[in-house]
Amino acid sequence: MQLKHSSTLAVAALSLLGAGHAFAAEWEQEASVLYYGESDGRVKDGSLKYTGTRTADNGDLLNLNVGIDTLTGASPSGVTTTNQIQTITSPSGHSNVTPAGELPLDNRFKDTRVSASVNWDHELKPDLRGNVGASFSKEYDYLHLGVNGGVSQALNDKNTILSAGFAISQDAVEAVGGTPTPLSDSNQRLGDEAKGSEDKTVTEVLLGVTQVFNKKLVGQFNIGISEDSGYLNDPYKYVSQVSPQGIVSTNLHESRPDSRSGQNLYGALKYKATDRLTSTSSARLHTDDWGVDSVTIDQKIRVDMGNKRSIEPHVRYYSQKAADFYTVQLNEQDPLPQYTTADYRLSELDAYTVGLTYRWEDKANREWRITGEMYKQEPTKQTLTAGQADLNANPGFTAQMISLGLTF
């Protein structure tokens, strides 16, 4: 199961708004622990992360990131809900029985990822810097290898920074039981149709500008382009073929296009309203040729409480359209489409996040922070057949997240 990979370019771009803080010490390090848990016994994630940035005497920056994530719980497989008992067989041959009226979940969801990345930023000549980096992560059934690089040019007495970057990754999908043939019967998964490792290539390009408008206001604007190619299916996701009476006749492996082109626009403003109040606002627009158009709006307000303590409320809104080939299920009487998926992550949905971060410094001037957030995902409900009246094949979920970090 592929875990979510953070975009190296996006992380680099976001860091520009806080770039001044990175030069505050020769070494700046942060260690953090995070727990994430979804409702109804779904996915739970525990992670440990370390980030270290060293500033050399010549101004070079070396950034290291190391992390480990462990996922457990249950995840929707794409099989639809019906008024009959369903028995689903996993790739390893394990059978899971779902009571009538409930959404089938893969309750053997379990994975561990170790990840690491390194980036080096060097002054090429006055006001011109270059950076290169590499990333790696390994899960039981997924391998990621990536490289990235970029340049930034300071102008206007360093009040304007123009930046350009790229990232390329080569990933390998090594699904349990082999990667299945799209639209093949799930019961044939362990048969001759299963394939070995499949590859995926992801290329990203980012152009950006960061502008200091005055002592209180800093802005950032980025344009990003991404190209994915290769094996883009999730080997553990299915689409159900259903009769007019609402009975599942077959569960097929999903079928997605082997390429995806996306474009992003990102803008952010950081405004220091008073000595004790700083606002950070951002918005992101995304569109791609799968039809997954999305908008993200994010707002944080940091309030200095004095005595080296602060609080930071956080709200986030996200909305996306469904992929052109998304459906909760297929009518068994209709011809099979070339592409189809019932993956809830590609459905039409709204999502809301609210949270609060509390920071404080101890007697050794080390900064601690604790963050708690609530997340709610609300997919658009789709009508099923008459035989599935009042059932919901994509009910959404809530999640809680809490993290503790130490900067030293």
Side-chain angles (χ1 to χ4, degrees), residues 378-389:
E378 292 185 341
T380 300
K381 185 176 180 180
Q382 294 193 6
T383 302
L384 306 179
T385 70
Q388 297 165 290

Side-chain angles (χ1 to χ4, degrees), residues 157-304:
D157 198 22
K158 298 186 177 180
N159 288 314
T160 303
I161 298 177
L162 304 178
S163 59
F166 75 94
I168 300 174
S169 67
Q170 185 67 46
D171 300 352
V173 181
E174 302 166 341
V176 176
T179 49
T181 300
L183 300 180
S184 62
D185 189 327
S186 63
N187 292 323
Q188 299 176 9
R189 173 64 180 280
L190 300 178
D192 296 336
E193 293 189 33
K195 300 179 180 178
S197 176
E198 295 279 357
D199 296 330
K200 179 174 77 173
T201 302
V202 179
T203 305
E204 297 174 280
V205 176
L206 183 75
L207 302 175
V209 56
T210 301
Q211 178 66 49
V212 178
F213 296 101
N214 52 52
K215 293 182 179 179
K216 292 187 175 182
L217 183 64
V218 180
Q220 183 179 3
F221 181 75
N222 295 328
I223 298 175
I225 299 173
S226 63
E227 290 284 342
D228 299 3
S229 61
Y231 185 81
L232 304 184
N233 291 307
D234 186 324
Y236 308 118
K237 297 301 183 186
Y238 310 106
V239 182
S240 299
Q241 285 186 299
V242 180
S243 70
Q245 293 74 36
I247 299 174
V248 173
S249 56
T250 311
N251 292 313
L252 305 174
H253 291 286
E254 68 167 22
S255 173
R256 305 184 189 186
D258 59 6
S259 65
R260 185 178 188 180
S261 301
Q263 299 85 41
N264 300 308
L265 295 177
Y266 173 83
L269 287 174
K270 192 167 189 174
Y271 178 62
K272 190 175 181 61
T274 69
D275 290 341
R276 292 195 169 189
L277 194 151
T278 302
S279 169
T280 304
S281 309
S282 66
R284 179 180 183 270
L285 301 176
H286 169 85
T287 185
D288 61 43
D289 58 1
W290 284 13
V292 184
D293 299 335
S294 68
V295 58
T296 306
I297 299 173
D298 193 285
Q299 176 66 55
K300 297 178 179 177
I301 298 177
R302 182 164 176 168
V303 181
D304 186 347

Side-chain angles (χ1 to χ4, degrees), residues 15 18-28 53-56 60-61 63:
S15 68
H21 193 55
F23 286 87
E26 182 175 282
W27 265 105
E28 182 174 283
T53 301
R54 183 179 188 278
T55 305
D60 284 7
L61 294 173
N63 178 265

Side-chain angles (χ1 to χ4, degrees), residues 93-113:
H94 173 77
S95 294
N96 181 39
V97 179
T98 301
E102 294 187 8
L103 181 67
L105 300 175
D106 181 359
N107 60 6
R108 295 176 62 84
F109 186 62
K110 184 177 182 180
D111 210 339
T112 298
R113 178 181 68 170

Side-chain angles (χ1 to χ4, degrees), residues 40-88:
D40 303 322
R42 290 171 60 161
V43 177
K44 292 180 173 55
D45 178 22
S47 67
L48 296 171
K49 293 185 179 179
Y50 165 83
T51 299
T53 301
R54 183 179 188 278
T55 305
D57 293 339
N58 63 357
D60 284 7
L61 294 173
L62 178 65
N63 178 265
L64 303 173
N65 291 277
V66 180
I68 181 169
D69 299 80
T70 299
L71 280 167
T72 58
S75 177
S77 62
V79 175
T80 193
T81 179
T82 73
N83 285 313
Q84 287 77 42
I85 297 174
Q86 297 190 73
T87 301
I88 311 298

